[in-house]
């Protein structure tokens, strides 16, 4: 493993086209891909593919709209970019009657969707292939690779959810609480409250995600103008599944079997996912490269202030130029 733990450095940063972050880029295609069980998964495609094909995966509660800026960046660099909303969030429907509750019965459903969608994605063209995944998407990418999914030519995981930041509760107590709530029949209910109109809670949430209030405001704008894509807290069952899936991945041998050039970006002060778990996982994946930012970066590294965001894009693009040829 190549390990890097430092403040911003003069990594190559590439200019990105001027983009209205509150509008869909010209030339893209928004449609629905149908999962093997018939579930509709909202999908977006942009770019010529002259450079190759890229699959972009967001995190829990995310929607495609949050990452239009980086999708447009990679499309401008010649990638045919495909992104999608995970089952039960964004524009891919809901799994409970509570439209703001992020529920899943089993993380295996996410993995099944990813494997089938990736199979179809590979058939869309030829040339170099890359997968880029954030947070929960990073967990799903690494778990799927650990379970034998056909790898791309290169992969990037950004603040991957390889352990949850459960403070102030220790992990064992968080597991106990989630399991107890499920036994009490509350597995499909929200694990915590989220006051949608609370300015204080919005400021607290922004600080956990990004130092950039304007990019955070973009997310709120999309949520307010397309309420069907808005999502709130996860269900207790999602929490239990996240705790179990991250435990199983960390304790199993699958990470040592991943055979793909891999870059991991993380931040030392992440308040949502465990940076120590990311370090431990990166040390077990053959050839993985890890860069850890300091206090300048919160969880959403690709939606940070431009100093961090452009540094991260520079590192990713330089890595893909070398690994996906």
């Amino acid at each position: 493993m190549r390990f890097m733990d430092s403040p911003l450095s003069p990594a190559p940063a590439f200019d990105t086209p001027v983009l209205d972050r509150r509008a869909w880029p010209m030339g893209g295609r928004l449609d629905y891909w149908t999962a093997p069980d018939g579930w509709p998964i909202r999908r977006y495609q942009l770019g010529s593919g002259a450079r190759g094909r890229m699959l972009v995966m967001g995190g829990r509660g995310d929607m495609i709209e949050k990452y239009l800026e980086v999708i447009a960046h990679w499309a401008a660099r010649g990638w045919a970019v495909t992104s999608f909303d995970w089952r039960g969030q964004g524009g891919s429907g809901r799994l409970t009657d509570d439209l703001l509750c992020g529920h899943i019965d089993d993380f295996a459903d996410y993995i099944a969707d990813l494997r089938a969608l990736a199979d179809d994605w590979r058939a869309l063209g030829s040339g170099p292939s890359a997968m880029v995944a954030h947070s929960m998407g990073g967990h799903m990418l690494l778990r799927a690779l650990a379970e034998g999914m056909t790898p791309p030519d290169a992969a990037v995981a950004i603040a991957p959810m390889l352990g949850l930041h459960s403070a102030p509760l220790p992990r064992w107590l968080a597991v106990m609480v989630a399991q107890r709530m499920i036994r009490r029949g509350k597995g499909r209910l929200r694990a915590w409250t989220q006051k949608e109109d609370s300015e204080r809670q919005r400021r607290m949430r922004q600080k956990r995600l990004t130092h950039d209030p304007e990019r955070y405001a973009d997310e709120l704008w999309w949520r307010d103008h397309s309420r069907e894509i808005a999502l709130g807290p996860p269900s207790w069952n999602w929490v239990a599944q996240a705790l179990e899936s991250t435990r199983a991945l960390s304790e199993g041998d699958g990470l040592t079997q991943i055979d793909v050039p891999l870059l991991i970006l993380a931040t030392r002060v992440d308040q949502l996912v465990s940076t120590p778990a990311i370090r431990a996982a990166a040390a077990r994946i053959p050839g993985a490269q890890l860069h850890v930012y300091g206090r300048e970066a919160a969880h959403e590294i690709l939606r940070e202030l431009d100093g961090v965001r452009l540094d991260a894009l520079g590192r990713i693009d330089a890595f893909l130029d070398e690994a996906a040829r």
Side-chain angles (χ1 to χ4, degrees):
M1 180 189 74
R2 290 170 56 190
F3 175 70
M4 298 163 280
D5 191 6
S6 64
L8 296 183
S9 62
F14 300 94
D15 292 334
T16 55
V18 176
L19 178 75
D20 180 354
R21 297 193 300 265
R22 300 184 182 185
W24 293 91
M26 295 292 292
R29 177 184 176 185
L30 185 66
D31 63 9
Y32 282 86
W33 171 84
T34 304
D37 67 352
W39 194 270
I41 301 293
R42 191 173 69 144
R43 177 179 62 177
Y44 181 65
Q45 297 166 292
L46 180 71
S48 67
R51 172 66 180 85
R53 290 163 295 129
M54 178 184 290
L55 186 63
V56 174
M57 294 163 251
R60 193 212 75 80
D62 286 347
M63 61 286 200
I64 297 166
E65 288 87 336
K66 282 182 66 171
Y67 288 93
L68 290 176
E69 186 175 26
V70 291
I71 289 171
H73 165 81
W74 286 315
R77 288 182 59 80
W79 293 97
V81 185
T82 298
S83 190
F84 64 95
D85 289 333
W86 293 102
R87 175 183 298 241
Q89 65 182 50
S92 294
R94 297 293 180 270
L95 295 161
T96 72
D97 292 335
D98 181 352
L99 299 183
L100 288 178
C101 180
H103 177 72
I104 194 72
D105 289 329
D106 193 322
F107 269 23
D109 296 337
Y110 290 143
I111 298 296
D113 288 344
L114 173 57
R115 294 184 74 137
L117 189 149
D119 284 344
D120 287 354
W121 166 76
R122 289 186 195 92
L124 293 176
S126 58
S129 61
M131 294 184 179
V132 180
H134 165 70
S135 195
M136 185 189 81
H139 174 78
M140 296 307 157
L141 171 59
L142 295 178
R143 175 174 161 176
L145 291 171
E147 294 179 0
M149 181 180 73
T150 301
D153 293 311
V156 180
I158 303 150
M161 189 186 76
L162 299 177
L164 297 183
H165 195 286
S166 61
L169 298 182
R171 185 189 178 282
W172 66 266
L173 184 54
V175 171
M176 183 181 298
V177 170
Q179 291 177 344
R180 181 181 180 186
M181 298 302 286
I182 292 170
R183 287 195 299 269
R184 293 175 60 186
K186 297 186 177 182
R188 298 171 67 86
L189 301 182
R190 301 186 205 183
W192 56 78
T193 59
Q194 180 172 306
K195 298 179 181 179
E196 292 290 306
D197 297 327
S198 169
E199 183 61 29
R200 177 176 177 273
Q201 285 203 8
R202 287 189 175 193
R203 286 198 303 269
M204 292 173 59
R205 181 173 181 268
Q206 181 220 309
K207 291 178 181 179
R208 291 193 295 268
L209 296 178
T210 174
H211 292 87
D212 190 334
E214 293 184 3
R215 287 189 171 89
Y216 181 72
D218 293 336
E219 175 189 354
L220 300 184
W221 185 90
W222 281 108
R223 286 166 54 93
D224 290 342
H225 285 75
S226 304
R227 290 302 296 172
E228 71 277 5
I229 65 173
L231 198 68
S235 68
W236 282 110
N237 202 74
W238 185 97
V239 173
Q241 284 288 307
L243 290 165
E244 172 56 24
S245 187
T246 52
R247 181 206 62 78
L249 188 61
S250 68
E251 295 181 2
D253 295 329
L255 290 176
T256 65
Q257 306 302 312
I258 292 177
D259 184 20
V260 59
L262 173 66
L263 172 65
I264 302 175
L265 300 181
T267 174
R268 180 167 49 86
V269 296
D270 204 313
Q271 296 184 51
L272 297 183
V273 302
S274 169
T275 304
I278 293 172
R279 293 182 190 272
R284 300 179 59 207
I285 300 172
Q289 300 179 35
L290 172 65
H291 178 79
V292 181
Y293 290 97
R295 293 186 176 278
E296 68 275 11
H299 180 63
E300 292 185 344
I301 294 170
L302 293 183
R303 301 185 69 249
E304 262 293 356
L305 293 167
D306 277 349
V308 170
R309 188 181 70 88
L310 293 178
D311 181 87
L313 285 173
R315 292 178 189 277
I316 293 169
D317 290 342
F319 169 76
L320 294 179
D321 285 346
E322 176 66 25
R325 294 187 289 182

